[in-house]
Amino acid sequence: MSINATLTEIVGKKTYPEYVCSESITVGIDHHLIFLLTFFVFLCIFTSLGNALILVVLRKESTLGSPSKLLLRSLAASDFCVGMLSDPLYAISLVSAINGHWRVCYYAFSLTVVVTYALCSVSLLTTSAISVDRLLALSLGMRYRETVTIKRVYGIVITFWVLATIGCAAYVKSSQFTRRFIQAVLLICLSVSMFSHTMIFFNLRQHRTRVQDRRSPEDPPLACSSLQSEVNIAKHKRAVSSVLWIQLALLICYLPYTVIVALLSIRGELSQTLVLSQKYAGVFVLVNSSLNPLLYCWKILEVRQAVVATLKKWCCSSI
């Protein structure tokens, strides 16, 4: 049985990719499709090059802790795959729709949905894992290196990729299952991230209170340890701030698409306006992958220094 027949039997007379890749929906919006196509060509190049640079830098960077660096590499890898797979596939579906090649558009759009859902799931799971990693680094102190080992983080990262691939590949058999899977991943990741950042906030307040108590005149011998504690608190604040910015960018980029999908579910029917709105909302989802390298360079000092050093080395070598 073909993929087309399987999807049609499960969803109804027409699947969503069939609606999107049909003349009745795309007629009269060629100028929108051409604009999106041009945008995605540039987005594909910027996302791929930006995240490739981050992957090269993280491979050489030694000042970041190994578990944290591995999680960042997983996030950068998922963003790199967005630039190499999701963006080109979406561009192919747009070209096919403009030229009226509906069958090519259907398969390209269906693959875009599966690949993008899988990569977005990895991004959501990884960002929540990074927030948990920062909470453990703050809570465990010296025991952090014994608890959060590189082997355990490798196992978690591999589990994320396998779970996301299986959950989203099921779209071929049941698009409803994949949508439920994405909703569950989104809900779990948001809950875990909110809990982690709340606990981090309270822990930082407790640490600050203890440091202030140690700086009292009655206990002068602890001045050095108090100073070290302040340095550690500042370091944790910078790390938490970088994670918070990454998650905030993710939420902002994913929010329009989530709203449009909710409207589609409530209305239960498709229109050209809703389909076009979802296409533009999908742009924000994929733009998130191009924003992350900029956030790494802006908020993570070690990454910024390594990127600058790498670019200078490449420039000098080329000259």
PDB file of all heavy atoms in Angstrom, residues 283-305:
ATOM      1  N   VAL A 283       7.946  29.541   8.996  1.00  0.00           N
ATOM      2  CA  VAL A 283       9.205  30.265   8.799  1.00  0.00           C
ATOM      3  C   VAL A 283       9.860  30.561  10.139  1.00  0.00           C
ATOM      4  O   VAL A 283      11.075  30.392  10.313  1.00  0.00           O
ATOM      5  CB  VAL A 283       8.959  31.574   8.016  1.00  0.00           C
ATOM      6  CG1 VAL A 283      10.208  32.445   8.019  1.00  0.00           C
ATOM      7  CG2 VAL A 283       8.539  31.265   6.586  1.00  0.00           C
ATOM      8  N   PHE A 284       9.049  30.991  11.117  1.00  0.00           N
ATOM      9  CA  PHE A 284       9.594  31.324  12.432  1.00  0.00           C
ATOM     10  C   PHE A 284      10.206  30.098  13.107  1.00  0.00           C
ATOM     11  O   PHE A 284      11.225  30.199  13.787  1.00  0.00           O
ATOM     12  CB  PHE A 284       8.502  31.917  13.319  1.00  0.00           C
ATOM     13  CG  PHE A 284       8.112  33.322  12.951  1.00  0.00           C
ATOM     14  CD1 PHE A 284       7.040  33.562  12.113  1.00  0.00           C
ATOM     15  CD2 PHE A 284       8.842  34.389  13.435  1.00  0.00           C
ATOM     16  CE1 PHE A 284       6.693  34.852  11.775  1.00  0.00           C
ATOM     17  CE2 PHE A 284       8.503  35.693  13.099  1.00  0.00           C
ATOM     18  CZ  PHE A 284       7.417  35.923  12.256  1.00  0.00           C
ATOM     19  N   VAL A 285       9.574  28.935  12.927  1.00  0.00           N
ATOM     20  CA  VAL A 285      10.107  27.703  13.521  1.00  0.00           C
ATOM     21  C   VAL A 285      11.493  27.407  12.974  1.00  0.00           C
ATOM     22  O   VAL A 285      12.424  27.080  13.723  1.00  0.00           O
ATOM     23  CB  VAL A 285       9.155  26.522  13.248  1.00  0.00           C
ATOM     24  CG1 VAL A 285       9.775  25.212  13.730  1.00  0.00           C
ATOM     25  CG2 VAL A 285       7.814  26.741  13.955  1.00  0.00           C
ATOM     26  N   LEU A 286      11.652  27.539  11.659  1.00  0.00           N
ATOM     27  CA  LEU A 286      12.938  27.232  11.042  1.00  0.00           C
ATOM     28  C   LEU A 286      13.960  28.342  11.257  1.00  0.00           C
ATOM     29  O   LEU A 286      15.164  28.086  11.257  1.00  0.00           O
ATOM     30  CB  LEU A 286      12.732  26.978   9.544  1.00  0.00           C
ATOM     31  CG  LEU A 286      11.830  25.774   9.217  1.00  0.00           C
ATOM     32  CD1 LEU A 286      11.623  25.652   7.710  1.00  0.00           C
ATOM     33  CD2 LEU A 286      12.413  24.482   9.764  1.00  0.00           C
ATOM     34  N   VAL A 287      13.495  29.582  11.449  1.00  0.00           N
ATOM     35  CA  VAL A 287      14.409  30.686  11.732  1.00  0.00           C
ATOM     36  C   VAL A 287      15.108  30.474  13.072  1.00  0.00           C
ATOM     37  O   VAL A 287      16.255  30.910  13.265  1.00  0.00           O
ATOM     38  CB  VAL A 287      13.644  32.029  11.724  1.00  0.00           C
ATOM     39  CG1 VAL A 287      14.417  33.118  12.459  1.00  0.00           C
ATOM     40  CG2 VAL A 287      13.384  32.475  10.294  1.00  0.00           C
ATOM     41  N   ASN A 288      14.441  29.786  14.003  1.00  0.00           N
ATOM     42  CA  ASN A 288      15.037  29.529  15.308  1.00  0.00           C
ATOM     43  C   ASN A 288      16.400  28.861  15.192  1.00  0.00           C
ATOM     44  O   ASN A 288      17.317  29.151  15.978  1.00  0.00           O
ATOM     45  CB  ASN A 288      14.093  28.675  16.144  1.00  0.00           C
ATOM     46  CG  ASN A 288      14.673  28.310  17.497  1.00  0.00           C
ATOM     47  OD1 ASN A 288      15.047  27.162  17.732  1.00  0.00           O
ATOM     48  ND2 ASN A 288      14.772  29.272  18.384  1.00  0.00           N
ATOM     49  N   SER A 289      16.554  27.983  14.215  1.00  0.00           N
ATOM     50  CA  SER A 289      17.824  27.267  14.034  1.00  0.00           C
ATOM     51  C   SER A 289      18.942  28.199  13.579  1.00  0.00           C
ATOM     52  O   SER A 289      20.121  27.918  13.809  1.00  0.00           O
ATOM     53  CB  SER A 289      17.650  26.135  13.013  1.00  0.00           C
ATOM     54  OG  SER A 289      16.729  25.176  13.488  1.00  0.00           O
ATOM     55  N   SER A 290      18.585  29.301  12.920  1.00  0.00           N
ATOM     56  CA  SER A 290      19.603  30.263  12.501  1.00  0.00           C
ATOM     57  C   SER A 290      19.905  31.276  13.598  1.00  0.00           C
ATOM     58  O   SER A 290      20.970  31.915  13.580  1.00  0.00           O
ATOM     59  CB  SER A 290      19.148  30.985  11.227  1.00  0.00           C
ATOM     60  OG  SER A 290      17.972  31.732  11.468  1.00  0.00           O
ATOM     61  N   LEU A 291      18.997  31.435  14.550  1.00  0.00           N
ATOM     62  CA  LEU A 291      19.223  32.372  15.653  1.00  0.00           C
ATOM     63  C   LEU A 291      20.157  31.799  16.723  1.00  0.00           C
ATOM     64  O   LEU A 291      20.903  32.545  17.362  1.00  0.00           O
ATOM     65  CB  LEU A 291      17.894  32.750  16.312  1.00  0.00           C
ATOM     66  CG  LEU A 291      16.957  33.672  15.530  1.00  0.00           C
ATOM     67  CD1 LEU A 291      15.675  33.901  16.311  1.00  0.00           C
ATOM     68  CD2 LEU A 291      17.623  34.994  15.221  1.00  0.00           C
ATOM     69  N   ASN A 292      20.099  30.485  16.919  1.00  0.00           N
ATOM     70  CA  ASN A 292      20.885  29.872  17.996  1.00  0.00           C
ATOM     71  C   ASN A 292      22.383  30.147  17.903  1.00  0.00           C
ATOM     72  O   ASN A 292      23.014  30.459  18.925  1.00  0.00           O
ATOM     73  CB  ASN A 292      20.609  28.371  18.053  1.00  0.00           C
ATOM     74  CG  ASN A 292      19.291  28.054  18.735  1.00  0.00           C
ATOM     75  OD1 ASN A 292      18.769  28.858  19.518  1.00  0.00           O
ATOM     76  ND2 ASN A 292      18.735  26.900  18.448  1.00  0.00           N
ATOM     77  N   PRO A 293      23.024  30.034  16.717  1.00  0.00           N
ATOM     78  CA  PRO A 293      24.463  30.367  16.665  1.00  0.00           C
ATOM     79  C   PRO A 293      24.760  31.794  17.112  1.00  0.00           C
ATOM     80  O   PRO A 293      25.781  32.046  17.764  1.00  0.00           O
ATOM     81  CB  PRO A 293      24.812  30.170  15.183  1.00  0.00           C
ATOM     82  CG  PRO A 293      23.808  29.192  14.686  1.00  0.00           C
ATOM     83  CD  PRO A 293      22.547  29.499  15.434  1.00  0.00           C
ATOM     84  N   LEU A 294      23.861  32.727  16.784  1.00  0.00           N
ATOM     85  CA  LEU A 294      24.051  34.117  17.221  1.00  0.00           C
ATOM     86  C   LEU A 294      23.933  34.223  18.731  1.00  0.00           C
ATOM     87  O   LEU A 294      24.692  34.970  19.378  1.00  0.00           O
ATOM     88  CB  LEU A 294      23.018  35.020  16.541  1.00  0.00           C
ATOM     89  CG  LEU A 294      23.069  35.075  15.007  1.00  0.00           C
ATOM     90  CD1 LEU A 294      21.931  35.951  14.480  1.00  0.00           C
ATOM     91  CD2 LEU A 294      24.409  35.600  14.530  1.00  0.00           C
ATOM     92  N   LEU A 295      22.990  33.465  19.317  1.00  0.00           N
ATOM     93  CA  LEU A 295      22.826  33.485  20.769  1.00  0.00           C
ATOM     94  C   LEU A 295      24.027  32.872  21.472  1.00  0.00           C
ATOM     95  O   LEU A 295      24.455  33.355  22.528  1.00  0.00           O
ATOM     96  CB  LEU A 295      21.547  32.743  21.157  1.00  0.00           C
ATOM     97  CG  LEU A 295      20.225  33.415  20.774  1.00  0.00           C
ATOM     98  CD1 LEU A 295      19.051  32.503  21.090  1.00  0.00           C
ATOM     99  CD2 LEU A 295      20.066  34.739  21.499  1.00  0.00           C
ATOM    100  N   TYR A 296      24.584  31.797  20.907  1.00  0.00           N
ATOM    101  CA  TYR A 296      25.790  31.189  21.500  1.00  0.00           C
ATOM    102  C   TYR A 296      26.925  32.212  21.564  1.00  0.00           C
ATOM    103  O   TYR A 296      27.608  32.351  22.589  1.00  0.00           O
ATOM    104  CB  TYR A 296      26.257  29.987  20.681  1.00  0.00           C
ATOM    105  CG  TYR A 296      25.252  28.872  20.530  1.00  0.00           C
ATOM    106  CD1 TYR A 296      25.289  28.045  19.417  1.00  0.00           C
ATOM    107  CD2 TYR A 296      24.272  28.654  21.481  1.00  0.00           C
ATOM    108  CE1 TYR A 296      24.383  27.018  19.264  1.00  0.00           C
ATOM    109  CE2 TYR A 296      23.352  27.639  21.334  1.00  0.00           C
ATOM    110  CZ  TYR A 296      23.404  26.823  20.218  1.00  0.00           C
ATOM    111  OH  TYR A 296      22.494  25.813  20.066  1.00  0.00           O
ATOM    112  N   CYS A 297      27.126  32.923  20.448  1.00  0.00           N
ATOM    113  CA  CYS A 297      28.233  33.896  20.393  1.00  0.00           C
ATOM    114  C   CYS A 297      27.970  35.084  21.303  1.00  0.00           C
ATOM    115  O   CYS A 297      28.912  35.680  21.842  1.00  0.00           O
ATOM    116  CB  CYS A 297      28.442  34.373  18.958  1.00  0.00           C
ATOM    117  SG  CYS A 297      28.973  33.080  17.824  1.00  0.00           S
ATOM    118  N   TRP A 298      26.712  35.427  21.479  1.00  0.00           N
ATOM    119  CA  TRP A 298      26.374  36.595  22.287  1.00  0.00           C
ATOM    120  C   TRP A 298      26.436  36.302  23.782  1.00  0.00           C
ATOM    121  O   TRP A 298      26.999  37.073  24.560  1.00  0.00           O
ATOM    122  CB  TRP A 298      24.982  37.101  21.894  1.00  0.00           C
ATOM    123  CG  TRP A 298      24.490  38.252  22.724  1.00  0.00           C
ATOM    124  CD1 TRP A 298      25.234  39.290  23.223  1.00  0.00           C
ATOM    125  CD2 TRP A 298      23.155  38.484  23.174  1.00  0.00           C
ATOM    126  NE1 TRP A 298      24.432  40.153  23.949  1.00  0.00           N
ATOM    127  CE2 TRP A 298      23.148  39.683  23.934  1.00  0.00           C
ATOM    128  CE3 TRP A 298      21.954  37.794  22.992  1.00  0.00           C
ATOM    129  CZ2 TRP A 298      22.001  40.196  24.509  1.00  0.00           C
ATOM    130  CZ3 TRP A 298      20.799  38.320  23.558  1.00  0.00           C
ATOM    131  CH2 TRP A 298      20.834  39.495  24.312  1.00  0.00           C
ATOM    132  N   LYS A 299      25.893  35.161  24.186  1.00  0.00           N
ATOM    133  CA  LYS A 299      25.696  34.889  25.609  1.00  0.00           C
ATOM    134  C   LYS A 299      26.741  33.965  26.220  1.00  0.00           C
ATOM    135  O   LYS A 299      26.858  33.912  27.446  1.00  0.00           O
ATOM    136  CB  LYS A 299      24.307  34.292  25.849  1.00  0.00           C
ATOM    137  CG  LYS A 299      23.154  35.184  25.410  1.00  0.00           C
ATOM    138  CD  LYS A 299      23.163  36.523  26.109  1.00  0.00           C
ATOM    139  CE  LYS A 299      22.932  36.404  27.596  1.00  0.00           C
ATOM    140  NZ  LYS A 299      22.859  37.712  28.262  1.00  0.00           N
ATOM    141  N   ILE A 300      27.473  33.197  25.407  1.00  0.00           N
ATOM    142  CA  ILE A 300      28.464  32.258  25.950  1.00  0.00           C
ATOM    143  C   ILE A 300      29.856  32.766  25.594  1.00  0.00           C
ATOM    144  O   ILE A 300      30.278  32.709  24.431  1.00  0.00           O
ATOM    145  CB  ILE A 300      28.242  30.829  25.413  1.00  0.00           C
ATOM    146  CG1 ILE A 300      26.809  30.364  25.683  1.00  0.00           C
ATOM    147  CG2 ILE A 300      29.229  29.860  26.057  1.00  0.00           C
ATOM    148  CD1 ILE A 300      26.476  29.010  25.124  1.00  0.00           C
ATOM    149  N   LEU A 301      30.563  33.270  26.595  1.00  0.00           N
ATOM    150  CA  LEU A 301      31.859  33.917  26.369  1.00  0.00           C
ATOM    151  C   LEU A 301      32.850  32.974  25.708  1.00  0.00           C
ATOM    152  O   LEU A 301      33.567  33.363  24.779  1.00  0.00           O
ATOM    153  CB  LEU A 301      32.413  34.424  27.706  1.00  0.00           C
ATOM    154  CG  LEU A 301      33.800  35.070  27.670  1.00  0.00           C
ATOM    155  CD1 LEU A 301      33.788  36.318  26.792  1.00  0.00           C
ATOM    156  CD2 LEU A 301      34.266  35.407  29.079  1.00  0.00           C
ATOM    157  N   GLU A 302      32.914  31.722  26.183  1.00  0.00           N
ATOM    158  CA  GLU A 302      33.891  30.767  25.645  1.00  0.00           C
ATOM    159  C   GLU A 302      33.643  30.505  24.157  1.00  0.00           C
ATOM    160  O   GLU A 302      34.591  30.412  23.363  1.00  0.00           O
ATOM    161  CB  GLU A 302      33.831  29.455  26.420  1.00  0.00           C
ATOM    162  CG  GLU A 302      34.211  29.567  27.893  1.00  0.00           C
ATOM    163  CD  GLU A 302      33.044  29.961  28.770  1.00  0.00           C
ATOM    164  OE1 GLU A 302      31.965  30.282  28.213  1.00  0.00           O
ATOM    165  OE2 GLU A 302      33.195  29.954  30.003  1.00  0.00           O
ATOM    166  N   VAL A 303      32.381  30.385  23.783  1.00  0.00           N
ATOM    167  CA  VAL A 303      32.050  30.145  22.376  1.00  0.00           C
ATOM    168  C   VAL A 303      32.394  31.366  21.534  1.00  0.00           C
ATOM    169  O   VAL A 303      32.948  31.240  20.431  1.00  0.00           O
ATOM    170  CB  VAL A 303      30.557  29.786  22.231  1.00  0.00           C
ATOM    171  CG1 VAL A 303      30.165  29.696  20.752  1.00  0.00           C
ATOM    172  CG2 VAL A 303      30.248  28.472  22.933  1.00  0.00           C
ATOM    173  N   ARG A 304      32.081  32.558  22.053  1.00  0.00           N
ATOM    174  CA  ARG A 304      32.375  33.785  21.306  1.00  0.00           C
ATOM    175  C   ARG A 304      33.875  33.932  21.060  1.00  0.00           C
ATOM    176  O   ARG A 304      34.307  34.253  19.940  1.00  0.00           O
ATOM    177  CB  ARG A 304      31.836  35.001  22.068  1.00  0.00           C
ATOM    178  CG  ARG A 304      32.082  36.322  21.337  1.00  0.00           C
ATOM    179  CD  ARG A 304      31.311  37.477  21.944  1.00  0.00           C
ATOM    180  NE  ARG A 304      31.749  37.810  23.291  1.00  0.00           N
ATOM    181  CZ  ARG A 304      31.041  37.580  24.399  1.00  0.00           C
ATOM    182  NH1 ARG A 304      29.873  36.962  24.329  1.00  0.00           N
ATOM    183  NH2 ARG A 304      31.497  37.937  25.583  1.00  0.00           N
ATOM    184  N   GLN A 305      34.674  33.682  22.081  1.00  0.00           N
ATOM    185  CA  GLN A 305      36.119  33.796  21.922  1.00  0.00           C
ATOM    186  C   GLN A 305      36.650  32.761  20.940  1.00  0.00           C
ATOM    187  O   GLN A 305      37.525  33.064  20.115  1.00  0.00           O
ATOM    188  CB  GLN A 305      36.797  33.629  23.280  1.00  0.00           C
ATOM    189  CG  GLN A 305      36.539  34.775  24.257  1.00  0.00           C
ATOM    190  CD  GLN A 305      37.102  34.512  25.638  1.00  0.00           C
ATOM    191  OE1 GLN A 305      37.386  33.375  25.992  1.00  0.00           O
ATOM    192  NE2 GLN A 305      37.259  35.572  26.426  1.00  0.00           N
TER     193      GLN A 305
END
